[in-house]
Amino acid sequence: MPASPSTARAINDRLALRLLQQQGPLTAGQLKQLTGLSRPTVADLVERLAAAGLIEVVGEAGEQRRGPNARLYGIVADRAHLAALDVRTEGVAVLVSDLVGRVLAEASVPIGDDTGTGTAVEQAVSLVERAVKEAEAAGAPPRAGERTWGRLHTLGIGAPGLIDPATGELRDSSGLPEWHRRLVAALQERFPDARAHVENETNLAALAEQREGVARDRDTFVLLWLGHGTGAAVVLDGALRRGASGGTGEIGFLPVPGTDGLPSATDCEGGFHSLAGSVAIAELAREHGRTARAHADEPVAAALVRAAVAAVDAPDPGADAAAAAGFLDALADRLALGVASVVAVLDPGCVVLGGEVGQAGGEALARRVATRLRRMAPLPTEVRPAVLGGGAVLRGALLTARDAAQDDLFGTAPGTPGVGPA
């Protein structure tokens, strides 16, 4: 059964908008070529989307061309603003962008362990408020008749812990501060017109590495998160797998040899976390005579790994290189235990060492883990270092917010709910 004219228009409009989002400004002729639509159909959709305030003329195709056929059309970036949050146990980072991902404001605030729940929530919400106001000032001025132009449309929130697959809400997990769960509700109260999407931080990192990082050529892979804590994200056949309770990838609880005990249902001590968490890596470094100055913007474990890699890769390695190599070898031994377990169960073909520690280790650490994995696992598996590191969570949160906002704004034909002028 052929689509109705209105349905066909909606499909064509959505396709054109997606192309403009993915490839940047295009001429009507380029849209015709990429979509396969007729010239009159493209002309109609360009007029329709421009009237709806979704696209506008942003320039011309080249110095040698003039007139209507040379006009470059692009998405009206300030049609909506997006906020991405990276919520950690030690603080919050936020960035605000326009609809095509141009960052308009960034900010972060540390939150200490001794900070009360109410104070922590207030600090985080105030941080987001300031960033949103800064973005509004940096964006285009409001347009006549457009009440919500440039206002916050979607919040993408990355947080540790389990996300209930049925409700999309952050579950009450032991070991996480209470202010994490309170924060989402407080943000919704402060920004009632914005849509909030909460996702596990490691899952967002995997999304970012797949879309913009080291896993762009993979539709099946596992990202092993190595930061203050440990985690894993599983992508199979292009889809993120969350599990029946949202707990896929809780690798910190994985029982492994080399620990002093076994993990419990409420505590991952004794599991893989006890070998690969930031505290454990710092202790391993001390055993090898390694020290490093802590930085506020990365776990101490990442600083230790980064310094060790620099010592090993130095053009003229000194006496320090042997100790550094010993530390990296011992760390690779530990990481290979968790990676081999994942490979044996999932056969992902590729494991990405993510987070701040994975990025700091780079090829030097990934190569060591791959060597050990070949001896432990019968399944061929690449081991790659992440390129986005700890910043992958914010990037993944922004991509999630952008996808959700564009689905809402671009999902139907102009003039129907969700796309027409607000």
Side-chain angles (χ1 to χ4, degrees):
M1 180 177 177
S4 66
S6 61
T7 300
R9 285 195 297 270
I11 294 172
N12 293 340
D13 292 350
R14 186 183 181 95
L15 174 58
L17 287 163
R18 286 296 184 191
L19 287 169
L20 290 168
Q21 187 270 319
Q22 294 168 0
Q23 302 195 25
L26 299 168
T27 65
Q30 289 170 327
L31 283 171
K32 173 182 178 298
Q33 181 179 10
L34 292 169
T35 61
L37 300 173
S38 68
R39 189 178 303 277
T41 300
V42 170
D44 286 344
L45 75 83
V46 166
E47 182 179 354
R48 201 161 49 242
L49 295 174
L54 294 176
I55 68 173
E56 62 184 351
V57 177
V58 296
E60 292 190 339
E63 294 181 0
Q64 305 303 318
R65 300 183 63 188
R66 291 291 183 269
N69 291 336
R71 291 173 182 164
L72 280 170
Y73 295 93
I75 290 175
V76 179
D78 274 304
R79 182 69 175 80
H81 287 171
L82 317 168
L85 280 78
D86 181 0
V87 181
R88 306 282 183 101
T89 54
E90 68 279 1
V92 176
V94 60
L95 66 79
V96 181
S97 83
D98 60 21
L99 195 55
V100 297
R102 181 171 64 96
V103 176
L104 304 172
E106 292 183 84
S108 63
V109 62
I111 297 178
D113 294 338
D114 56 348
T115 305
T117 297
T119 301
V121 171
E122 182 180 352
Q123 288 178 347
V125 172
S126 297
L127 179 78
V128 178
E129 287 179 327
R130 292 195 301 271
V132 167
K133 290 178 180 177
E134 182 181 339
E136 289 177 353
R143 303 190 179 196
E146 298 290 353
R147 180 179 59 83
T148 60
W149 203 275
R151 298 290 183 85
L152 185 63
H153 183 282
T154 306
L155 288 152
I157 304 170
L162 306 184
I163 309 300
D164 191 316
T167 65
E169 296 178 351
L170 185 64
R171 292 175 53 186
D172 185 9
S173 302
S174 61
L176 294 179
E178 175 64 21
W179 64 266
H180 279 199
R181 297 181 67 247
R182 299 272 188 91
L183 176 59
V184 177
L187 287 169
Q188 284 281 230
E189 182 178 349
R190 175 58 187 86
F191 302 102
D193 296 329
R195 298 158 174 80
H197 296 265
V198 186
E199 181 58 90
N200 174 267
E201 59 179 354
T202 308
N203 288 344
L204 290 178
L207 170 64
E209 292 288 354
Q210 185 183 36
R211 295 267 290 270
E212 300 181 344
V214 74
R216 281 175 290 182
D217 62 334
R218 305 291 309 195
D219 63 358
T220 295
F221 70 99
V222 169
L223 181 137
L224 177 62
W225 180 264
L226 301 168
H228 285 285
T230 59
V234 178
V235 177
L236 301 178
D237 300 323
L240 183 67
R241 306 298 181 177
R242 296 176 175 84
S245 63
T248 295
E250 286 296 310
I251 197 171
F253 286 86
L254 182 72
V256 290
T259 65
D260 293 333
L262 290 173
S264 69
T266 58
D267 190 352
C268 59
E269 289 300 323
F272 182 65
H273 174 82
S274 295
L275 296 182
S278 184
V279 173
I281 293 176
E283 177 59 33
L284 180 66
R286 283 193 291 272
E287 293 174 5
H288 286 80
R290 309 293 303 171
T291 60
R293 183 175 299 177
H295 297 281
D297 57 346
E298 69 175 354
V300 65
L304 288 161
V305 171
R306 193 182 308 281
V309 170
V312 170
D313 291 344
D316 185 20
D320 186 49
F327 165 55
L328 292 176
D329 288 340
L331 177 58
D333 288 340
R334 292 184 173 192
L335 297 182
L337 292 174
V339 172
S341 299
V342 169
V343 167
V345 174
L346 297 176
D347 186 19
C350 178
V351 173
V352 175
L353 303 184
E356 294 90 348
V357 173
Q359 185 184 38
E363 289 289 350
L365 182 59
R367 185 171 58 250
R368 284 171 164 81
V369 174
T371 298
R372 288 152 178 79
L373 186 62
R374 283 193 293 271
R375 297 197 296 261
M376 298 171 66
L379 306 174
T381 307
E382 288 186 78
V383 181
R384 302 178 180 179
V387 296
L388 300 177
V393 178
L394 263 183
R395 195 63 202 167
L398 179 59
L399 290 169
T400 298
R402 192 172 74 182
D403 288 347
Q406 289 178 351
D407 282 344
D408 179 57
L409 295 170
F410 303 167
T412 53
T416 58
V419 168

